[in-house]
Amino acid sequence: MIELRELKKQFGSNEVLRGVDLRVRRGRITGIVGPNGAGKTTLIKTLLGLCHASSGEIRIDGQRVGDDEQYRARIGYMPQIARFPENLTASELFTMLRDLRGEAGSLDGELLDRLGLADQLDKPLRVLSGGTRQKVNACMALLFDPDLLILDEPTAGLDPLSSAVLKDRILALRARDVTVIVASHIMSELEELCDDVVFLLDGVTRFSGPVAQLTSMTRQANLERAIAALMIREVA
Amino acid sequence: MMRVVLKVARAQARDTLRSRSIIVYALFFLLLTEGLLRFAGTSSQALLNIATATLLVVPLVTLMLTTIAVYNAREFIELLLAQPIRRSALFAGVYLGLMTPLAASFAAGVVLPIAFHRSEQSAIALVVVAIGVALTMIFSGIGLCVALTTDDRLRGLGAALGIWLLTAIAYDGIVLAIVAMFSDYPIERPLLGLTFANPIDLARVLILLRLDVAALMGYTGAVFQRFFGGIAGSALAAGALVLWIATPFGLGARRFNRKDF
């Protein structure tokens, strides 16, 4: 279980997270939604330690996340933008990550095949298309069999087939009790994947709970309309 | 920790070494050194010209390439920060991975033609190479500091260029103005202090004194020769260069540890 208590993050005078309280349950897929600038990426980056929280605390399975970087050994992260050193190959990148962690890791051969990545591994990353680099990004996030998978706009730039393959893999991971956090603007994708949803607005959690609860609470047919209804209510 | 530093450095260096700009940089010094050794008359004159090029080009190229490389590697650094590794180890690895190929390209470009021509002044040539490597270490650290201080790429590159203009070009003018203003006073000692305040000036003085052109600098040259020629002066100059390497590195590491990515 991941717990965030009164998490605040300020960049100069800009208060991006203004006291986020959140519980992410183990073995479930939780979607983070909100308009641009709501604090989704900052929340993810703070959870990963890329941003330093101004105040508040983060606990993973009861352990407070602090200066010890070892908690990140359990996390697989797929950032929104897949930009890597352009003169390296995907194989070299995987090898480097394995060396860095001192872990063997296991490349998912089936995923590589289904994403059509197997014959792209030895090409310099600069010659790969944005979509192919995004596939490399996905394989890297899954390299070390994570307990917690954090995905920031995971299907951005992927073709429909690859997007479906990745979503299938995410659902299979949930079946293995992996906790998944997904930030996305694509509501249909979140509806397809997520058990729970967190709605952020102006750096504050406005809703956190199962998708079904949100749709019934707002009396809307789907997640997209439920979020829209919530936004209208909050703005009014 | 050292293992992580070396792994990051190796990956970064591999990427840097395959970039076109690093090859062009090595070829520039190779062709320049070869050309000067062939056509500049005496090897002493050739070395003086190589040293001048080193003092101008090494800081500029190092600043620009390291600043650009850090901006280009921003997302990759974020990905590495999401791994269970210490920030300080990652910073040291990125620094080494950028600095080492730059220093190696410069050194290879200068050393290969000198070795080929079997110059009788190879000891002085080695001093020029060592100074060039030290400048690479200093300005790599400064480039990293600049790129970590501002997220705006254009502003960062502008600041890097400004630092080069100040240290490589304008500083001499400022020193000259001070000399002119206080020409009635014995300012040789304050001038020594000003030399330590700019790594390029310090490097220039160290090279010029080895090239025996200090005599052309009159009384000031004699004061400098006496100071830097002694053991204490040499040790102080070497210490100042080490401090110039360590300070931007330390500031960069501190900035990196505190930065929000």
Side-chain angles (χ1 to χ4, degrees), chain A residues 13-89:
Chain A
S13 59
N14 183 18
E15 213 175 1
V16 179
L17 301 179
R18 299 192 298 161
V20 173
D21 287 299
L22 185 63
R23 282 181 175 203
V24 176
R25 289 188 282 173
R26 173 184 278 275
R28 290 174 73 89
I29 303 177
T30 302
I32 300 178
V33 295
N36 295 333
K40 301 185 294 293
T41 298
T42 304
L43 182 69
I44 285 178
K45 286 186 169 183
T46 311
L47 190 57
L48 284 162
L50 301 185
C51 284
H52 303 286
S54 304
S55 64
E57 65 173 31
I58 301 170
R59 286 179 183 272
I60 298 181
D61 291 335
Q63 285 263 307
R64 189 174 172 158
V65 168
D67 291 334
D68 184 6
E69 66 285 344
Q70 280 311 310
Y71 79 96
R72 292 197 287 264
R74 299 161 57 193
I75 302 176
Y77 172 50
M78 182 176 174
Q80 190 175 351
I81 303 168
R83 276 186 69 182
F84 308 112
E86 55 181 22
N87 300 308
L88 297 185
T89 65

Side-chain angles (χ1 to χ4, degrees), chain A:
Chain A
M1 157 128 45
I2 300 164
E3 268 184 287
L4 274 62
R5 285 187 201 152
E6 269 299 298
L7 193 71
K8 292 184 182 173
K9 178 61 198 172
Q10 210 167 332
F11 295 100
S13 59
N14 183 18
E15 213 175 1
V16 179
L17 301 179
R18 299 192 298 161
V20 173
D21 287 299
L22 185 63
R23 282 181 175 203
V24 176
R25 289 188 282 173
R26 173 184 278 275
R28 290 174 73 89
I29 303 177
T30 302
I32 300 178
V33 295
N36 295 333
K40 301 185 294 293
T41 298
T42 304
L43 182 69
I44 285 178
K45 286 186 169 183
T46 311
L47 190 57
L48 284 162
L50 301 185
C51 284
H52 303 286
S54 304
S55 64
E57 65 173 31
I58 301 170
R59 286 179 183 272
I60 298 181
D61 291 335
Q63 285 263 307
R64 189 174 172 158
V65 168
D67 291 334
D68 184 6
E69 66 285 344
Q70 280 311 310
Y71 79 96
R72 292 197 287 264
R74 299 161 57 193
I75 302 176
Y77 172 50
M78 182 176 174
Q80 190 175 351
I81 303 168
R83 276 186 69 182
F84 308 112
E86 55 181 22
N87 300 308
L88 297 185
T89 65
S91 284
E92 286 171 332
L93 215 53
F94 294 137
T95 306
M96 188 203 71
L97 284 181
R98 286 190 188 114
D99 285 352
L100 269 184
R101 292 210 185 203
E103 286 179 54
S106 56
L107 256 184
D108 188 333
E110 191 203 332
L111 183 65
L112 282 178
D113 283 340
R114 290 186 67 196
L115 289 174
L117 207 56
D119 57 347
Q120 308 286 322
L121 292 178
D122 294 321
K123 292 180 183 171
L125 287 153
R126 68 170 180 277
V127 305
L128 302 184
S129 68
T132 309
R133 285 202 297 267
Q134 187 72 342
K135 294 175 193 173
V136 174
N137 201 5
C139 291
M140 264 197 310
L142 298 171
L143 191 60
F144 298 101
D145 217 1
D147 294 334
L148 168 61
L149 190 60
I150 300 178
L151 312 165
D152 196 355
E153 305 284 355
T155 58
L158 289 184
D159 58 73
L161 177 63
S162 305
S163 176
V165 167
L166 183 59
K167 283 190 272 191
D168 285 347
R169 185 48 49 112
I170 294 168
L171 291 169
L173 286 169
R174 176 180 59 184
R176 283 167 38 198
D177 211 26
V178 172
T179 308
V180 183
I181 296 176
V182 190
S184 176
H185 278 105
I186 309 169
M187 293 299 130
S188 57
E189 174 178 293
L190 290 175
E191 191 153 30
E192 188 184 344
L193 288 174
C194 297
D195 305 298
D196 299 319
V197 64
V198 174
F199 175 56
L200 281 182
L201 187 65
D202 296 332
V204 179
T205 317
R206 305 291 175 142
F207 176 85
S208 175
V211 175
Q213 187 187 329
L214 177 64
T215 47
S216 71
M217 188 183 91
T218 52
R219 294 178 190 165
Q220 298 294 325
N222 57 42
L223 181 64
E224 185 163 27
R225 288 191 176 277
I227 293 292
L230 213 55
M231 282 176 76
I232 290 166
R233 191 191 299 172
E234 292 293 340
V235 170

Side-chain angles (χ1 to χ4, degrees), chain B residues 76-191:
Chain B
F76 183 58
I77 289 173
E78 285 182 20
L79 185 80
L80 293 180
L81 281 171
Q83 308 302 317
I85 56 175
R86 288 206 175 161
R87 281 193 176 210
S88 46
L90 180 53
F91 176 79
V94 170
Y95 171 80
L96 281 176
L98 288 173
M99 182 276 290
T100 313
L102 279 166
S105 300
F106 159 75
V110 176
V111 167
L112 289 177
I114 285 173
F116 180 74
H117 285 275
R118 292 183 186 162
S119 165
E120 68 270 21
Q121 302 224 0
S122 51
I124 299 169
L126 277 178
V127 172
V128 174
V129 172
I131 295 279
V133 169
L135 286 175
T136 308
M137 294 169 91
I138 294 167
F139 283 91
S140 296
I142 296 175
L144 275 167
C145 279
V146 169
L148 291 169
T149 302
T150 173
D151 289 338
D152 184 331
R153 178 187 282 252
L154 265 182
R155 192 182 290 178
L157 288 174
L161 196 61
I163 288 170
W164 177 76
L165 281 171
L166 179 69
T167 52
I169 312 284
Y171 194 83
D172 280 351
I174 296 166
V175 171
L176 207 62
I178 292 170
V179 170
M181 273 195 307
F182 297 97
S183 56
D184 295 338
Y185 300 93
I187 54 163
E188 281 75 20
R189 285 188 183 279
L191 268 184

